[in-house]
Amino acid sequence: MKKIEAIVKPFKMDDVREALAEVGVAGMTVTEVKGFGRQKGHTELYRGAEYQVDFLPKIKLELVLDDERAEQAVEAIESSAKTGKIGDGKIFVYPVERAIRIRTGEQDDEAI
């Protein structure tokens, strides 16, 4: 099993969700987060005063999938979230040692 964490631009969320549904992903956890990478934030003008915005809004997706579906999901996220501009985000893939469904006690592949 693999855990996939993806950080994407907020306006790409619907495209990513649709792409994941096409490869059979049934569920995910979505969190609104803020951060920056090479973008280093940006400046904005508010009531005539310029100020620095260090943390930009992003969406963090978390999925746990079997090994076969994980690679398809990574490809789906990458292709659907890409704009070709700085700040498109990142995808991280981690091994998952164990998964347990609390309600039924099912474990590992049966739990996801």
Side-chain angles (χ1 to χ4, degrees), residues 60-83:
K60 179 180 179 181
L61 306 164
E62 297 177 87
L63 307 90
V64 177
L65 302 167
D66 59 68
D67 291 341
E68 296 168 16
R69 193 162 295 157
E71 192 54 41
Q72 294 174 331
V74 167
E75 291 171 9
I77 295 167
E78 184 178 6
S79 64
S80 61
K82 186 175 187 175
T83 67

Side-chain angles (χ1 to χ4, degrees), residues 7-10 31-35 39 56-60 87:
I7 311 294
V8 300
K9 291 182 175 182
T31 311
E32 292 181 12
V33 296
K34 292 184 178 191
Q39 278 179 292
L56 302 171
K58 302 287 182 178
I59 298 292
K60 179 180 179 181

Side-chain angles (χ1 to χ4, degrees), residues 34 41-42 52 59-60 91 93:
K34 292 184 178 191
H42 63 280
Q52 181 71 23
I59 298 292
K60 179 180 179 181
I91 302 171
V93 181

